[in-house]
Amino acid sequence: MTVIDIAMLAITVVGGASALLVVTARNVVHAALYLVVALLAVAATFLVLGAEFLAWVQVLVYVGAVVVLILFGLMLTRAPIGPMAQHNDMGKLLPLSVSGGLFALLVVLIFGSFGDATMTIDVTGAGALGDILYTFWAFPFMALGFFLTVALIGAVVIARREEGEGPDPHIDTVERERPTPVPTDASATPGVTSYPDEVAAGIATGEEE
Amino acid sequence: MQIQAVYPLVFAALLFCVGVYGVLSRRNAVLVLMSVELMLASVTVNLVAFGRLAAERTGEALLTGQSFALFVLAVGAAEVGVGLAIILLLYRNRASVNIDDADLMKY
């Protein structure tokens, strides 16, 4: 057992444990932070396999950008920060048996097919990868850039507030600007302020929570 | 330096199965998206490992596996952006990110 085997074993243990915590954590923010550790373990695997450029792209894009985006998503959807009921209608047993069975099958297949295969590790830097990306894969690479632009514009269009859509449904009436009371007619009970319809609806949904 | 091929492959299989469990069992849509991210990451590990294995067998320094892993990384980043936009839209219209509530197209 060489030092690189031990490093890979440690990465597997740390990455696997944090991935398990991602899917079992009761607190959604903790799950996002465990995701950072799992993705860093993937980057470390790339380093062990000699894919230097990919490792740093993984750190930059996933740990840097995607996790921040997911944290923003948690914040904007006002996910419950504390513990929450975590399982959907499918319960726990069926997903556990499906993924456990899949893992057992994959491990048997991997050890059956590649049980004695070894790989020579030599570092491939950014230069070699750039050479092949800009020559052999040049057209797919540019198509990828176009695809990213399309995805960005599509995300903006989807997430935009359309006319006629309601305000953020969970917004508290306290946080909102204090509404100006609608001038009531003479028959209204004195002392009772009436709010515009949408604010009243907001109050109603707020009480439902 | 030599490394057993099974280590990265088993690590990738573990990440993928944990992601499958998360997708099937969690109820918050953002957490489902995070599980999908885990599965994508495991696929990139597999691509790099098999690219390395193919280079070992043919004797050439093939970088196809790493190129494909880079493509998967970029597609995954785009997928997170669009997915979060859809989840935000769902939240605005249904006041919930519980995936059991998004059953409008269920028969």
Side-chain angles (χ1 to χ4, degrees), chain A residues 20-64:
Chain A
L20 275 173
L21 284 168
V22 169
V23 294
T24 53
R26 302 192 74 83
N27 187 322
V28 287
V29 178
H30 289 179
L33 297 180
Y34 285 127
L35 185 69
V36 171
V37 181
L39 293 175
L40 279 177
V42 171
T45 313
F46 288 156
L47 276 185
V48 168
L49 289 173
E52 196 182 76
F53 182 68
L54 268 182
W56 302 125
V57 167
Q58 173 87 11
V59 171
L60 269 179
V61 173
Y62 272 84
V63 181

Side-chain angles (χ1 to χ4, degrees), chain A residues 13-179:
Chain A
V13 169
V14 171
S18 51
L20 275 173
L21 284 168
V22 169
V23 294
T24 53
R26 302 192 74 83
N27 187 322
V28 287
V29 178
H30 289 179
L33 297 180
Y34 285 127
L35 185 69
V36 171
V37 181
L39 293 175
L40 279 177
V42 171
T45 313
F46 288 156
L47 276 185
V48 168
L49 289 173
E52 196 182 76
F53 182 68
L54 268 182
W56 302 125
V57 167
Q58 173 87 11
V59 171
L60 269 179
V61 173
Y62 272 84
V63 181
V66 167
V67 171
V68 170
L69 206 60
I70 283 175
L71 283 173
F72 263 102
L74 288 176
M75 197 175 75
L76 288 175
T77 56
R78 296 174 186 243
I81 301 298
M84 54 177 220
Q86 50 179 348
H87 294 292
N88 59 21
D89 291 348
M90 217 181 276
K92 203 173 182 177
L93 198 64
L94 181 65
L96 205 60
S97 51
V98 166
S99 57
L102 186 63
F103 183 63
L105 179 71
L106 281 175
V107 166
V108 167
L109 284 180
I110 286 168
F111 274 95
S113 311
F114 303 101
D116 50 355
T118 56
M119 299 184 282
T120 314
I121 302 302
D122 53 337
V123 177
T124 48
L129 190 60
D131 263 351
I132 198 166
L133 270 182
Y134 280 101
T135 53
F136 191 72
W137 296 110
F139 181 70
F141 195 58
M142 287 174 204
L144 187 71
F146 182 67
F147 168 77
L148 278 176
T149 315
V150 170
L152 187 71
I153 295 172
V156 169
V157 170
I158 290 172
R160 251 184 58 189
R161 182 163 306 187
E162 305 260 332
E163 198 155 331
E165 265 186 327
D168 189 343
H170 278 195
I171 205 158
D172 288 331
T173 44
V174 188
E175 289 174 25
R176 200 183 284 188
E177 202 180 317
R178 209 63 208 160

Side-chain angles (χ1 to χ4, degrees), chain B residues 23-99:
Chain B
V23 168
L24 289 181
S25 76
R26 296 315 289 262
R27 74 170 30 200
N28 188 328
V30 182
L31 285 171
V32 172
L33 204 61
M34 282 158 64
S35 307
V36 173
E37 283 311 303
L38 279 181
M39 291 160 76
L40 278 173
S42 85
V43 169
T44 56
V45 170
N46 253 348
L47 281 171
V48 174
F50 278 118
R52 180 65 69 190
L53 208 60
E56 184 80 16
R57 301 225 162 139
T58 57
E60 292 172 53
L62 292 175
L63 284 170
T64 313
Q66 292 191 27
S67 309
F68 269 76
L70 198 66
F71 289 147
V72 171
L73 274 175
V75 171
E79 173 257 330
V80 171
V82 177
L84 276 177
I86 292 173
I87 289 172
L88 281 184
L89 192 67
L90 180 73
Y91 173 75
R92 264 213 311 276
N93 285 307
R94 307 296 289 262
S96 154
V97 286
N98 184 348
I99 49 170

